[in-house]
């Protein structure tokens, strides 16, 4: 783990990395080392999923959105139980455990998910999530390395929180939580407007963001401020 931290935390000459850059270096290193198809890092609290901190690709980001929207999934179970949740064949077992999440994840092409909690004692910090588009388990070496990357991520999040008043989040973490909350609220509004499920509403938001070459947060903000709606008879910007 020390080597991982050294490589991730070492800044390029003459530059100081932001928290966002450090976390993206971590998940990129995880992606390369473990030969998975995507990696994401989620913020967790005692109340549950609190936001996306970093993701290597859109599917990884969607994996977190699906879990937050459905209120279920391996990430949430890993955080609640304080142990890794390994699902090498999501469709085979996930439909029973997390039917809403699994249906959305399978539609997005996710076949296997591995979730590693980032915790210190009873304190929940986050979860490191890995996915594959093909079924299959992590081998013993990959599992050991995944645990090392999770430990490194825990250290980084603890360092961010160091010196922050009790009960508050580091500004970077607070921004992630606020952004996730806005997307979740907008998803609920789109679900009502378009008369679709929350999962379909999230996909509509993402499709609009992609088509307009804007961020998901920007589109969600437009929905919340009523500059954009998804009513069937008036699906355009106001």
């Amino acid at each position: 783990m020390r080597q991982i931290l050294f490589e991730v935390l070492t800044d390029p000459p003459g530059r100081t990395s932001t928290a966002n850059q450090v976390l993206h270096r971590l998940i990129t290193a995880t992606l390369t080392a473990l030969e998975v198809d995507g990696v994401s890092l989620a913020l967790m609290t005692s109340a549950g999923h609190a936001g996306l901190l970093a993701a290597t690709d859109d599917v990884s980001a969607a994996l977190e959105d699906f879990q937050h929207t459905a209120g279920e999934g391996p990430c949430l179970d890993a955080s609640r139980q304080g142990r890794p949740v390994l699902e090498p064949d999501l469709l085979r077992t996930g439909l029973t455990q997390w039917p809403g999440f699994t249906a959305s994840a399978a539609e997005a092409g996710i076949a296997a998910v591995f979730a590693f909690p980032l915790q210190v004692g009873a304190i929940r910090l986050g979860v490191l999530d890995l996915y594959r588009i093909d079924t299959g388990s992590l081998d013993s070496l990959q599992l050991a390395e995944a645990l090392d990357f999770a430990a490194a991520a825990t250290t980084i999040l603890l360092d961010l929180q160091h010196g922050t008043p009790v009960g508050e989040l580091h500004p970077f973490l607070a921004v992630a939580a606020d952004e996730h909350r806005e997307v979740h609220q907008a998803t609920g509004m789109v679900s009502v407007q378009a008369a679709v499920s929350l999962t379909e509403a999230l996909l509509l938001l993402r499709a609009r963001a992609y088509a307009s070459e804007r961020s998901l947060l920007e589109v969600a903000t437009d929905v919340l401020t009523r500059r954009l709606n998804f009513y069937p008879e008036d699906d355009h910007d106001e």
Side-chain angles (χ1 to χ4, degrees):
M1 186 189 77
R2 290 181 179 178
Q3 181 62 27
I4 293 172
L5 282 173
F6 176 78
E7 293 176 357
V8 169
L9 295 176
T10 300
D11 291 327
R15 293 170 57 188
T16 301
S17 297
T18 64
N20 183 55
Q21 290 169 330
V22 170
L23 291 178
H24 273 85
R25 285 206 296 265
L26 174 73
I27 62 172
T28 299
T30 307
L31 180 73
T32 302
L34 300 183
E35 298 180 348
V36 292
D37 294 295
V39 180
S40 55
L41 187 61
L43 179 66
M44 302 294 293
T45 68
S46 57
H49 202 298
L52 174 67
L53 297 178
T56 56
D57 60 290
D58 288 343
V59 175
S60 292
L63 183 149
E64 301 302 341
D65 287 333
F66 293 151
Q67 293 184 93
H68 187 275
T69 300
E72 62 183 23
C75 168
L76 279 78
D77 280 7
S79 182
R80 293 190 192 106
Q81 298 168 11
R83 60 177 179 80
V85 173
L86 311 176
E87 291 296 332
D89 189 343
L90 185 61
L91 270 179
R92 185 174 64 84
T93 56
L95 284 173
T96 300
Q97 299 181 68
W98 320 290
F101 161 75
T102 300
S104 297
E107 186 176 350
I110 297 171
V113 179
F114 312 99
F116 298 85
L118 314 180
Q119 293 184 218
V120 179
I123 302 174
R124 298 181 176 96
L125 298 169
V127 173
L128 181 69
D129 282 329
L130 322 174
Y131 84 84
R132 282 178 171 163
I133 59 174
D134 296 314
T135 59
S137 302
L138 298 174
D139 62 33
S140 58
L141 177 58
Q142 290 170 330
L143 180 58
E145 287 185 310
L147 291 169
D148 281 344
F149 279 109
T154 301
T155 300
I156 292 170
L157 293 184
L158 281 174
D159 186 62
L160 281 177
Q161 278 295 97
H162 181 70
T164 303
V166 176
E168 296 183 14
L169 289 173
H170 179 278
F172 170 75
L173 304 180
V175 168
D178 288 342
E179 290 180 354
H180 201 73
R181 192 176 301 115
E182 288 189 24
V183 171
H184 184 62
Q185 291 171 346
T187 299
M189 290 179 64
V190 173
S191 175
V192 172
Q193 293 170 1
V196 297
S197 69
L198 289 172
T199 295
E200 291 172 310
L202 179 59
L203 292 174
L204 285 175
L205 276 176
R206 287 196 170 277
R208 177 58 67 92
Y210 179 80
S212 59
E213 297 184 346
R214 303 170 70 206
S215 72
L216 181 61
L217 178 61
E218 288 174 326
V219 174
T221 300
D222 279 356
V223 171
L224 294 176
T225 57
R226 303 188 186 281
R227 291 193 296 268
L228 172 68
N229 69 61
F230 285 78
Y231 291 111
E233 70 278 11
D234 188 24
D235 187 9
H236 59 75
D237 292 4
E238 295 180 344

